Amino acid sequence: MTVEMISVGTEILLGNIVNTNAAYLAEKCALLGLSCYYQSVVGDNEERLEDAIRLGLSRSDILILSGGLGPTKDDLTKEVTAKVFGRELYEDAHTKERIQQYFRQVHSSQVTPNNWKQALVPEGAKVVDNHNGTAPGLILEENGKIAILLPGPPNEIKPMFEQDIAPYLNKLQPEGIYSKMAKICSIGESKAETMISDLMDAQTNPTIAPYAKTGEVHLRVTAKADSEEKAQELMAPMMEELFQRFGDKIYTTEEDVTLEEAIVRMLEADGMTVTTAESCTGGLLAGRITNVPGASNVYKEGYITYSNDAKERLLHVKRETLMQHGAVSPQTAYEMAEGVAFAAGADASLSITGIAGPGGGTEEKPVGLVYIGCYVKGHVRVEEFYFTGNRDKNREYAVARALTLLREELLERR
């Protein structure tokens, strides 16, 4: 089956917001075994939106529209789609009650009259409850063609798609598509792909595909089967083989678990605490860790020591170390890692010092040079890295490498 995505909103056309929904939906639909040949963006214009919908339905089995379901006059997706399908709108009592309840719980205020526009649904449409907003999702079916209307905000579209739309689409397939993920750190993309090249060459069902992420490689194993149980049986030998080849470099097989979450779980299991000392990353590492729910069980405090004075005063980095070797040096990273662990009374620590760019580099210490220190139970390890991206990328990679280093040391010291 073929699927086509239409993103609705003038703000997308003008570049005011980044269209992350299209990338998300395309990836999810591919995993469901749907073929996508077209994507488009249409502004809040009735005529152009109608043209886009009619064209999409003429060449694709399924049309997924995101955005344009809000309460204002320029939100036209539902109205135009209903027109194309020849459906009248009616007020859905269930949706109206959910909107009322949402306002009572979230806004503690009365519903404004224009919000009742969101309770209008096309005749014969399947209504998909929105558990994170007021605009419901809608599914219209006609003569083998399907239009799926989803709200625009990512925090609404993603849970709705995963909870309701993906199962609906999966049932349309003669065989269901199921997948498992192996997330890997400590190995680069090229090496990881080389290690599974024979599996990729011989693949039929299941298949395996690598995806490069910042500082990580994700391997997705996908199987077609008429039941999830059979798919799991097909994927089990492949997953076992991946563990044989990559071992503990696989930090999770759970789709939604991040590297930082896996590390927080390790620290919790070992009854350990961690702290951070950052210079060039300016708190990004602390942010990654504290994004994890429950991180407060293992992360008590962190330090941003951008200046030499702060490194001396807060982390007790020796002045002679800074004078002789500089702030960007393995010696300073070592003393930062050791000093912050003692300052915070933590079992483990990470330190980052480097030159993120675009300026500040020299021939001896170029932009992208970063030293990362890791302290675990009295042992300190320092690694040197040369990143070649822009300032943002260099900082992102430094954080990813720091997390990987911490995980390696936690495994080593267990």
Side-chain angles (χ1 to χ4, degrees), residues 235-359:
M235 291 186 286
M238 181 76 81
M239 294 299 296
E240 184 178 346
E241 183 63 27
L242 292 180
F243 272 99
Q244 288 288 330
R245 300 187 185 199
F246 293 99
D248 61 18
K249 291 178 175 58
I250 298 177
Y251 70 81
T252 188
T253 58
E254 298 178 53
E255 180 83 32
D256 298 326
V257 172
T258 61
L259 177 56
E260 54 267 30
E261 184 175 350
I263 290 170
V264 167
R265 288 181 181 179
M266 290 178 66
L267 291 165
E268 286 180 318
D270 294 344
M272 295 177 62
T273 57
V274 67
T275 187
T276 55
E278 301 178 65
S279 185
C280 64
T281 49
L284 290 179
L285 175 58
R288 281 276 299 263
I289 296 172
T290 56
N291 278 341
V292 178
S296 58
N297 294 327
V298 301
Y299 188 83
K300 307 302 181 186
E301 59 189 78
Y303 298 76
I304 301 174
T305 53
Y306 216 63
S307 68
N308 284 358
D309 175 69
K311 293 179 177 67
E312 286 186 59
R313 181 165 40 84
L314 298 174
L315 307 179
H316 305 292
V317 175
K318 298 183 183 67
R319 179 169 297 182
E320 51 266 34
T321 299
L322 294 166
M323 295 294 292
Q324 182 177 351
H325 302 287
V328 181
S329 64
Q331 294 83 358
T332 296
Y334 185 106
E335 293 184 21
M336 286 174 66
E338 193 173 55
V340 74
F342 284 105
D347 303 301
S349 74
L350 285 167
S351 66
I352 301 178
T353 180
I355 305 168

Side-chain angles (χ1 to χ4, degrees), residues 4 10 89 140 220 241 244 274 304 327 334 377 386 388:
E4 182 168 337
T10 302
L89 297 175
L140 289 85
R220 184 179 293 280
E241 183 63 27
Q244 288 288 330
V274 67
I304 301 174
Y334 185 106
K377 295 181 178 179
Y386 287 90
T388 58

